[in-house]
Amino acid sequence: VQLQASGGGLVQAGGSLRLSCACSIRNFEHYDVGWFRQAPGKEREIVASITYRGRTTSYAESAKGRFTISRHNFQNTVYLQMNSLKPEDTAVYYCAARHFAVRSTEYTYWGQGTQVTVSS
């Protein structure tokens, strides 16, 4: 199992980035996926999540109205479109997956992270 996050970079405040999470998971369509981030000196926090069929999404308050999570199961990929970026969005962003049948547990599989830096 491998999750590969990509798409991070340096962007000015107000700009946009689209993160991708390529998932090498058998039966990927059975997995919920979440995007997390961790800024220096802060705890990791969940930014957005999407259920295995893509029917339900959820967002942190800080992401609502600016970020959109989506998935293409036939491509085994989950995206995080981030618009109107702010300096406080600067962090390492991680994607993670867990089987829908164990939704009450922590995420099982994690990607390596991609750095997002937003300049003011």
Side-chain angles (χ1 to χ4, degrees):
V1 173
Q2 184 177 13
L3 278 67
Q4 183 77 32
S6 63
L10 174 63
V11 64
Q12 289 187 333
S16 298
L17 284 173
R18 189 177 80 157
L19 305 184
S20 300
C21 178
C23 305
S24 299
I25 300 177
R26 185 178 181 182
N27 297 325
F28 170 72
E29 63 275 12
H30 295 170
Y31 284 77
D32 300 338
V33 176
W35 281 101
F36 295 75
R37 68 186 181 188
Q38 187 166 20
K42 296 187 177 181
E43 292 189 355
R44 185 175 63 199
E45 62 175 351
I46 190 164
V47 176
S49 64
I50 188 166
T51 53
Y52 65 110
R53 291 178 178 174
R55 292 179 179 175
T56 303
T57 58
S58 63
Y59 298 91
E61 283 298 320
S62 59
K64 287 180 180 178
R66 300 188 300 126
F67 295 3
T68 302
I69 189 170
S70 61
R71 66 188 295 159
H72 291 278
N73 282 350
F74 66 94
Q75 294 178 340
N76 281 29
T77 303
V78 175
Y79 301 98
L80 184 67
Q81 177 68 43
M82 305 187 296
N83 299 326
S84 302
L85 283 162
K86 305 174 182 180
E88 51 264 42
D89 294 317
T90 295
V92 178
Y93 284 70
Y94 301 88
C95 56
R98 67 182 173 198
H99 196 279
F100 76 89
V102 292
R103 194 166 285 160
S104 61
T105 68
E106 297 293 324
Y107 281 79
T108 309
Y109 304 111
W110 291 81
Q112 85 290 358
T114 185
Q115 176 71 46
V116 171
T117 303
V118 184
S119 62
S120 57

